[in-house]
Amino acid sequence: MSAALQAKALLIRAVECDQSGRILEAQTLYQDGIAQLMTFVSTEPDEVKRKGFLTRIKEYMDRADAIKARVNGQLMLGEIVTHLSIEENDTGYDYDQIFGKYMTNQTIEIMLEEPYLSQNYQYQNLIRFLELAVTNCTQLKYVRLVTKKDAANPEQQSTNLGQIKADLERRQISFYIKYEDTLHDRKIFLSNGYIIKIGRGLHFYKASNPMYSIGLTNYRYRKCLQTDVDIWRTSRIPN
C-alpha cells in the first residue's frame, strides 16, 4: 500500500473513532496519519495538489490538538471520590479491591501512565491490570500505555510489550505504546470519567516471601509498600 493510501486509511479510522467517542484512539490515529501524509506531501511535485494536502493536514492537526487539549483539561479537573492510604506491610489490597468497581462496561478506552517497565514483576503487574480491564471493561477497545524506554534492555522491553500488544489485538483491543523518557507521574485514565492516581503506580507489592506461599498469585495476600491512592471523578469526556 502506498504512503498516501496508508495515510488515508489511518485518517478515515481516526474520524470514525472521533465520531464514536473513542477520542484517545482517534488522537493516535490522527497523529500517525498526519505523519504519513506529511511524508507523502514532501515528495508531491504538483504545487496545487501539495497545497490541497497541506490544507487537509491543517484540519486534521487542529482536530488532534483539540482532542489533546480536552483530554489534558479533564486530567487536571475533577473531585476526589476516594482516598486510601496503604501502610507498609499492609495486606488485602489487590487492584480489583482498590479500583475494580470504577472499571465498568462504560470504559471503552484506558490510558495508563506507568514509567517503569523493565523487570519481570513489573510486566506481571501490567498483565494483572490488563486482565482486570478485560474482565470488567467488556466494551474496551483501546489502551494507551505511556512509559519510559528501558535504557538497559530496550529490545527485551519491545519484545515483551509486543507480545502484550498482539494478545490484546487478538481480543479486538488496540494497544498503543508511547515512550516518554521524562515521565514521572503515574495515573490511570478511564474514559468513563475516573482517574486513578497511585503514588507508586502499579508497583506497590512486595515480593512473595518465601516465593511459594499464599500471595504468590492472589495479590490480596501480598504485603504492600507504603503508598497513597486517590481516585478522581471528572465529567465524562464529550464526543
Side-chain angles (χ1 to χ4, degrees):
M1 184 183 294
S2 69
L5 290 177
Q6 288 178 339
K8 181 179 179 181
L10 287 169
L11 291 168
I12 288 173
R13 286 175 55 205
V15 172
E16 291 173 349
C17 288
D18 197 349
Q19 292 175 343
S20 66
R22 290 159 56 182
I23 66 169
L24 292 177
E25 186 170 6
Q27 182 185 21
T28 298
L29 291 169
Y30 277 131
Q31 292 169 347
D32 291 348
I34 289 167
Q36 291 205 21
L37 195 54
M38 287 292 288
T39 300
F40 170 75
V41 169
S42 67
T43 63
E44 172 57 57
D46 188 309
E47 181 68 20
V48 174
K49 288 183 179 179
R50 188 162 62 248
K51 286 183 177 179
F53 281 126
L54 290 173
T55 298
R56 294 300 303 275
I57 288 171
K58 178 64 165 57
E59 293 173 357
Y60 290 129
M61 290 178 68
D62 288 345
R63 185 58 189 162
D65 287 344
I67 291 174
K68 181 178 180 180
R70 196 160 72 234
V71 171
N72 288 342
Q74 291 291 327
L75 292 173
M76 295 174 64
L77 300 174
E79 59 179 353
I80 292 181
V81 295
T82 300
H83 172 79
L84 176 65
S85 292
I86 299 175
E87 301 300 330
E88 192 79 8
N89 293 321
D90 274 357
T91 59
Y93 297 106
D94 64 11
Y95 297 149
D96 194 12
Q97 288 172 296
I98 296 173
F99 50 75
K101 68 179 181 181
Y102 302 105
M103 303 178 74
T104 68
N105 58 11
Q106 293 180 312
T107 305
I108 60 174
E109 298 184 300
I110 295 174
M111 179 167 62
L112 169 64
E113 295 184 352
E114 177 51 68
Y116 302 109
L117 287 172
S118 59
Q119 305 299 316
N120 285 337
Y121 76 90
Q122 293 171 339
Y123 291 112
Q124 291 168 1
N125 289 341
L126 175 60
I127 289 295
R128 292 185 68 82
F129 170 77
L130 292 172
E131 287 173 342
L132 178 62
V134 169
T135 300
N136 287 16
C137 309
T138 56
Q139 302 302 312
L140 185 62
K141 301 298 182 185
Y142 176 82
V143 177
R144 180 191 298 172
L145 169 67
V146 186
T147 190
K148 291 184 179 181
K149 188 171 287 291
D150 180 5
N153 201 345
E155 292 181 358
Q156 187 62 56
Q157 183 184 47
S158 179
T159 297
N160 293 347
L161 294 179
Q163 291 177 357
I164 295 171
K165 177 181 175 69
D167 186 62
L168 287 174
E169 289 181 347
R170 282 193 291 269
R171 304 170 193 276
Q172 288 72 56
I173 300 171
S174 298
F175 186 61
Y176 178 79
I177 304 155
K178 181 179 181 182
Y179 294 105
E180 288 188 3
D181 290 338
T182 59
L183 183 67
H184 175 73
D185 292 341
R186 291 93 158 169
K187 69 171 71 73
I188 302 163
F189 171 75
L190 308 176
S191 64
N192 63 356
Y194 287 97
I195 302 167
I196 302 155
K197 299 180 180 181
I198 307 173
R200 293 181 181 270
L202 297 179
H203 313 315
F204 56 88
Y205 297 109
K206 293 188 173 183
S208 182
N209 186 22
M211 176 178 291
Y212 298 110
S213 59
I214 300 300
L216 176 62
T217 61
N218 189 332
Y219 279 28
R220 73 180 58 192
Y221 298 111
R222 282 280 187 103
K223 290 182 178 180
C224 297
L225 298 164
Q226 189 280 325
T227 195
D228 289 316
V229 181
D230 288 315
I231 298 175
W232 295 68
R233 179 175 58 208
T234 73
S235 58
R236 186 170 181 174
I237 292 180
N239 294 346

